[in-house]
C-alpha cells in the first residue's frame, strides 16, 4: 500500500480504541503506511501506551458521544475504526452518558451489541464520519480456513463441532454471545457478560478436565466491520488450564493474534485448532 500524503486530511483516520492488542497493532501498521492516527480511548479499558503512538489522543468515558464527535471533527476525521474490547461489566459501572448518548440510546431498538454498534455506525455516518473495517490494514489477522495444528479432531469431537456450530449460531442470532463450550453433545457453558475466557473456564470446570470443544463464531447478522470474534495465545492458555481440547473458529469471519505462536502453543498442549466455513458444516 502506498503511503498517503502526511499533511493531507485523507491520511488521517480516527481510532475508537477499546482494550487488548488490536488497537496497538493497527496503530503501528498505520503509522508504517503514513497515516496519522487521531485516537480516542476509554478510561479503565484502553492501554495507556496507545496515547504515545497516536498523532492525537483523547481520553473518554463510555457514553461521551458528543465529545467524541467534536474531537474527530476538530481534527478533520472523515473515516474511523472501532476496535478492541470493552468489558461489559464496566458498561454498568463506568459510564457517563451525555445528552447525545441518551438520545441515541432512546432511539436505538434494543440494547443488544449488534443493534447498538450498527446504530452507532449510522449515527457517525450522519455526522460525516464513516466506520471502515477494522482489518483493512491487517488482513493477515483474518483466520484462514483449515486445521492449523498437528492434532485433528476425533470422531466424537467432530460431532460436537457440528452440533456446537449450529447452537453457537443460534445464540448469536439472539445476540447473546459468540462462544460456547460443548462436550459429548452437552452444552456446558454459553458466553454471557463475563466473556470468552470465563466461559471456557466455566465449561472446563463442568467437564472436569476431560476435554471439551470451544466453538467461537461470528453472529449470523454480524457487521464484519467491527466486533469480530478474536482469539490468541491467551485463549489457548485458558483452554489448557481448563482441560479443553478443541478450538473451532469461523474462517474469514474471525481474527487471530500471534497465529504462529498460538499454533505452537496448541501443538505443545496437544490442542486442536480448526477454522471452518458455514458451507463445510452443511456438507
Amino acid at each position: 500500500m502506498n503511503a498517503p500524503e502526511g499533511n493531507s486530511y485523507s491520511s488521517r483516520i480516527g481510532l475508537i480504541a477499546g482494550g487488548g492488542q488490536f488497537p496497538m497493532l493497527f496503530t503501528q501498521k498505520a503509522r508504517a503506511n503514513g497515516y496519522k492516527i487521531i485516537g480516542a480511548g476509554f478510561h479503565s479499558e484502553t492501554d495507556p501506551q496507545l496515547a504515545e503512538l497516536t498523532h492525537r489522543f483523547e481520553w473518554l468515558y463510555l457514553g461521551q458521544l458528543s465529545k467524541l464527535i467534536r474531537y474527530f471533527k476538530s481534527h478533520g476525521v472523515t473515516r474511523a475504526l472501532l476496535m478492541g474490547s470493552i468489558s461489559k461489566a464496566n458498561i454498568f459501572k463506568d459510564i457517563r452518558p451525555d445528552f447525545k448518548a441518551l438520545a441515541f440510546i432512546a432511539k436505538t431498538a434494543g440494547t443488544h451489541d449488534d443493534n447498538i454498534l450498527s446504530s452507532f455506525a449510522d449515527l457517525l455516518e450522519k455526522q460525516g464520519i464513516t466506520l471502515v473495517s477494522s482489518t483493512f490494514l491487517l488482513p493477515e489477522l483474518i483466520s484462514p480456513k483449515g486445521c492449523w495444528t498437528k492434532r485433528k479432531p476425533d470422531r466424537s469431537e467432530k460431532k460436537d463441532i457440528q452440533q456446537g456450530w449450529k447452537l453457537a449460531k443460534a445464540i448469536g442470532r439472539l445476540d447473546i454471545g459468540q462462544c460456547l463450550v460443548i462436550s459429548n453433545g452437552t452444552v456446558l457453558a454459553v458466553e454471557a457478560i463475563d466473556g470468552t475466557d470465563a466461559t471456557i473456564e466455566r465449561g472446563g470446570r463442568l467437564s472436569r478436565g476431560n476435554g471439551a470443544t470451544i466453538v467461537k463464531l461470528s453472529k449470523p447478522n454480524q457487521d464484519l466491520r467491527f466486533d469480530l470474534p478474536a482469539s490468541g495465545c491467551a485463549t489457548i492458555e485458558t483452554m489448557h488450564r481448563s482441560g479443553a481440547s478443541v478450538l473451532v473458529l469461523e474462517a474469514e469471519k474471525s481474527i487471530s493474534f500471534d497465529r504462529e505462536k498460538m499454533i505452537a502453543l496448541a501443538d505443545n498442549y496437544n490442542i486442536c485448532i480448526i477454522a471452518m466455513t458455514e458451507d463445510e458444516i452443511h456438507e
Side-chain angles (χ1 to χ4, degrees):
M1 178 180 293
N2 293 326
E5 289 293 325
N7 293 324
S8 170
Y9 276 160
S10 66
S11 72
R12 299 186 179 194
I13 191 161
L15 171 61
I16 306 167
Q21 60 181 312
F22 200 4
M24 299 286 287
L25 292 174
F26 168 77
T27 300
Q28 291 164 352
K29 184 72 174 285
R31 286 184 56 173
N33 281 274
Y35 285 92
K36 287 187 176 180
I37 305 302
I38 310 301
F42 300 99
H43 295 285
S44 76
E45 296 285 351
T46 309
D47 189 333
Q49 292 184 10
L50 189 64
E52 301 174 9
L53 296 178
T54 54
H55 184 63
R56 293 282 187 272
F57 197 85
E58 186 80 16
W59 286 103
L60 305 170
Y61 286 97
L62 293 171
Q64 291 186 313
L65 192 49
S66 294
K67 185 177 180 180
L68 173 66
I69 292 171
R70 285 197 307 269
Y71 167 63
F72 276 167
K73 285 187 171 182
S74 70
H75 291 288
V77 171
T78 58
R79 293 184 300 159
L81 300 93
L82 176 63
M83 59 173 56
S85 60
I86 297 292
S87 170
K88 291 185 179 180
N90 283 339
I91 292 175
F92 295 100
K93 68 180 182 181
D94 197 14
I95 183 170
R96 302 184 186 183
D98 55 27
F99 286 116
K100 185 175 284 292
L102 290 171
F104 166 73
I105 293 169
K107 292 179 182 178
T108 301
T111 58
H112 294 309
D113 293 350
D114 291 343
N115 288 333
I116 292 172
L117 292 174
S118 296
S119 298
F120 177 65
D122 291 342
L123 183 148
L124 289 184
E125 189 80 39
K126 291 176 182 176
Q127 296 292 328
I129 302 167
T130 301
L131 276 186
V132 298
S133 171
S134 61
T135 59
F136 93 100
L137 280 182
L138 294 165
E140 64 272 17
L141 294 182
I142 299 173
S143 301
K145 178 180 173 180
C147 187
W148 303 352
T149 50
K150 296 175 183 177
R151 186 189 186 287
K152 308 294 188 280
D154 61 28
R155 182 177 298 180
S156 175
E157 290 165 342
K158 286 179 180 177
K159 290 181 180 179
D160 280 341
I161 291 172
Q162 289 276 342
Q163 184 176 354
W165 186 289
K166 295 173 184 176
L167 293 173
K169 285 295 183 182
I171 66 168
R173 192 171 294 110
L174 295 171
D175 206 6
I176 295 171
Q178 298 174 323
C179 173
L180 62 75
V181 183
I182 185 170
S183 180
N184 295 317
T186 300
V187 175
L188 303 176
V190 172
E191 183 181 15
I193 195 171
D194 52 355
T196 299
D197 284 351
T199 304
I200 295 172
E201 290 169 352
R202 283 190 284 113
R205 285 195 294 271
L206 290 172
S207 71
R208 298 182 179 180
N210 292 322
T213 295
I214 314 302
V215 184
K216 185 164 186 177
L217 310 177
S218 68
K219 299 171 185 176
N221 299 316
Q222 183 114 24
D223 188 324
L224 298 179
R225 290 176 295 174
F226 36 71
D227 197 29
L228 289 176
S231 58
C233 293
T235 310
I236 303 303
E237 290 286 7
T238 303
M239 289 178 63
H240 174 61
R241 291 195 304 272
S242 303
S245 55
V246 179
L247 174 62
V248 183
L249 305 174
E250 188 163 8
E252 302 170 4
K253 292 185 178 182
S254 65
I255 55 177
S256 44
F257 299 109
D258 299 318
R259 193 175 302 128
E260 290 185 5
K261 293 181 181 178
M262 182 181 175
I263 293 169
L265 198 61
D267 282 337
N268 184 53
Y269 292 146
N270 198 33
I271 287 173
C272 168
I273 306 175
I274 186 167
M276 305 177 68
T277 63
E278 187 81 31
D279 292 340
E280 289 179 285
I281 293 296
H282 296 299
E283 285 179 352

